[in-house]
Amino acid sequence: MFGDKMKHEAIPERVFALCELVKNKPVSEEDAREYFEPKALGGSSYFPMVRDAASQNQLGLVQVVDKRISLAVDKSAVSSLETMRQYIIGHIGRIKDSLFYEVSQAYFDLNEKVYQYSSVTEQALMEELQKKITRRLGVDDMRAWRFWAAYLGFGHLARANNQPQMNFLPNLYRYLQVAVSQSGLDRNKEYRIDDFMNAIQSICKIAMKDAIKTRRLNMAMSYGLRMMHDYGEIELRYQLDNKNLWYLYPTELHAIQSPVSHVTIRG
């Protein structure tokens, strides 16, 4: 899932189920496969994809040694789907060389262009993404990407004009909540925007491919920060004549137009 190809069979719920299975003691690969693919029910063939997604070579949630699977993280990291999500976000750099990471960066770079498409599997969209990535991209890859993008908090699925297809609209609000909570920054203290961005940068690089040089954030990052501001979780401020600025993606419908000089974390 987080290598050169993405597999829609390795959904977050199945990865979590594997962590649950081995949380208290190691389990043989044979027993784990039987748990996921009971022979009495005819079996299937998706277990290896789930195992690989969770393994030390990808998400690092479990380790596989001598055909035995054991938990590789503290139990608290996989106590729920939400804690697993927070752990993966905090260690997103583990998969920076994957197709998933490449596609995510390319998708964020599209900004408003994503509204032109009705589905993440639309051929025209995949051709546009293909221009920006080094690996070959297929329909199955995008189906798998959609599951994990929604789970991690990259945005949300939406159906336009009663169409049967589901498009994915980027908004990093839920992802940024985790990034800010893991940043080490103090509550109710105002920070220069440079200090704030440096604190969340290691987690948010997946959505900041060019932003570090340009100081201009894409639509997904900007929507997420504005939503956190609207909900009182952070306060974005622009101080006149301040030379330390980062720029949000332009919009005419929000009080915070573009330049930001300071951020206060509330709560």
Side-chain angles (χ1 to χ4, degrees), residues 90-156:
H91 297 81
I92 198 72
R94 287 189 60 96
I95 58 171
K96 62 182 176 63
D97 295 323
S98 67
L99 176 60
F100 177 84
Y101 202 96
E102 271 197 301
V103 169
S104 300
Q105 288 186 319
Y107 202 85
F108 292 139
D109 284 349
L110 289 177
N111 292 314
E112 290 179 336
K113 287 184 180 179
V114 299
Y115 299 132
Q116 299 175 14
Y117 309 105
S118 60
S119 168
V120 296
T121 58
E122 186 174 325
Q123 187 62 35
L125 170 60
M126 291 195 297
E127 289 174 359
E128 186 68 25
L129 293 172
Q130 190 67 71
K131 298 174 185 176
K132 302 173 181 291
I133 62 178
T134 60
R135 297 170 174 88
R136 190 66 190 165
L137 184 65
V139 171
D140 192 56
D141 295 309
M142 289 307 296
R143 287 175 179 151
W145 179 84
R146 179 183 60 191
F147 282 119
W148 282 91
Y151 170 66
L152 291 176
F154 289 174
H156 58 276

Side-chain angles (χ1 to χ4, degrees), residues 216 226 238 246-251 254-260:
R216 295 182 182 277
R226 285 185 174 112
Y238 168 52
W246 279 66
Y247 297 86
L248 303 184
Y249 194 78
T251 180
H254 197 274
I256 308 298
Q257 287 290 303
S258 180
V260 176

Side-chain angles (χ1 to χ4, degrees), residues 4 46 104 130 167 177 187 204:
D4 290 335
Y46 67 82
S104 300
Q130 190 67 71
N167 197 5
Q177 283 181 309
R187 305 278 175 173
C204 294

Side-chain angles (χ1 to χ4, degrees), residues 200-241:
I200 67 170
Q201 187 181 125
S202 62
I203 294 177
C204 294
K205 275 185 179 179
I206 192 169
M208 296 174 63
K209 185 177 179 181
D210 299 318
I212 297 169
K213 292 181 180 179
T214 65
R215 302 173 73 89
R216 295 182 182 277
L217 298 174
N218 58 33
M219 185 177 74
M221 283 283 288
S222 300
Y223 280 9
L225 289 171
R226 285 185 174 112
M227 188 171 290
M228 290 188 76
H229 174 90
D230 290 344
Y231 288 163
E233 298 167 33
I234 62 173
E235 181 181 340
L236 304 173
R237 186 169 72 87
Y238 168 52
Q239 181 178 301
L240 288 172
D241 301 323

Side-chain angles (χ1 to χ4, degrees), residues 2-13:
F2 299 102
D4 290 335
K5 296 296 292 180
M6 293 184 273
K7 301 293 184 179
H8 70 269
E9 292 89 348
I11 59 176
E13 290 79 6

Side-chain angles (χ1 to χ4, degrees), residues 168-215:
F168 189 84
L169 305 182
N171 182 331
L172 279 157
Y173 169 66
R174 290 179 61 239
Y175 189 91
L176 282 166
Q177 283 181 309
V178 178
V180 170
S181 71
Q182 296 185 12
S183 67
L185 298 176
D186 295 329
R187 305 278 175 173
N188 299 312
K189 177 180 177 181
E190 187 171 69
Y191 290 92
R192 294 185 317 146
I193 186 63
D194 279 357
D195 296 329
F196 176 81
M197 296 307 301
N198 286 338
I200 67 170
Q201 187 181 125
S202 62
I203 294 177
C204 294
K205 275 185 179 179
I206 192 169
M208 296 174 63
K209 185 177 179 181
D210 299 318
I212 297 169
K213 292 181 180 179
T214 65
R215 302 173 73 89

